[in-house]
Amino acid sequence: MSKFEDSIRIENVVASATLNQKIALQAVVKGNPGVEYRPETFPGLVFRLKRPKTAILIFSTGKMVCTGAKSEKEANRAVKQVVRELKKSGIIIPGKPEIKIVNMVASANL
């Protein structure tokens, strides 16, 4: 009888966050030239990070969605890093983001 090793691996953690304020997306684009913003095809902008390797969608309502994280800690770190980048580029954000994990995708080898 052969032994199989059970393994579960988290593939993606999705977090939602809110800044509890409106965000001027054009101002974000001006302060962060690396973001993707095409309002004619999608209402939000995409802020990609290399570390942790994630993509954060930012909407004018102040809502954010973080995808691509491999853990809850990575998702929280990514959102906080984007908020710091927004502040550096001149966007005034007085409070801390409210972050909530909304989905996790895992794969298993049984």
Side-chain angles (χ1 to χ4, degrees), residues 70-82:
K70 298 293 184 190
S71 67
E72 183 176 350
K73 185 177 177 180
E74 257 190 26
N76 283 315
R77 200 169 79 222
V79 169
K80 289 175 183 175
Q81 186 174 337
V82 166

Side-chain angles (χ1 to χ4, degrees), residues 29 37-38 53 56 75 102 110:
V29 172
Y37 183 48
R38 296 184 195 98
K53 188 174 181 197
I56 291 85
V102 294
L110 303 174

Side-chain angles (χ1 to χ4, degrees), residues 34-99:
V35 301
E36 298 170 29
Y37 183 48
R38 296 184 195 98
E40 61 280 352
T41 57
F42 186 69
L45 64 80
V46 182
F47 202 121
R48 294 186 194 280
L49 296 176
K50 290 182 182 173
R51 280 194 163 177
K53 188 174 181 197
T54 53
I56 291 85
L57 307 174
I58 305 173
F59 299 92
S60 62
T61 59
K63 304 273 187 197
M64 302 166 69
V65 178
C66 173
T67 63
K70 298 293 184 190
S71 67
E72 183 176 350
K73 185 177 177 180
E74 257 190 26
N76 283 315
R77 200 169 79 222
V79 169
K80 289 175 183 175
Q81 186 174 337
V82 166
V83 169
R84 280 193 303 274
E85 292 295 325
L86 293 175
K87 287 180 179 180
K88 275 190 211 172
S89 67
I91 307 295
I92 298 168
I93 302 171
K96 292 183 177 182
E98 295 175 22
I99 306 168

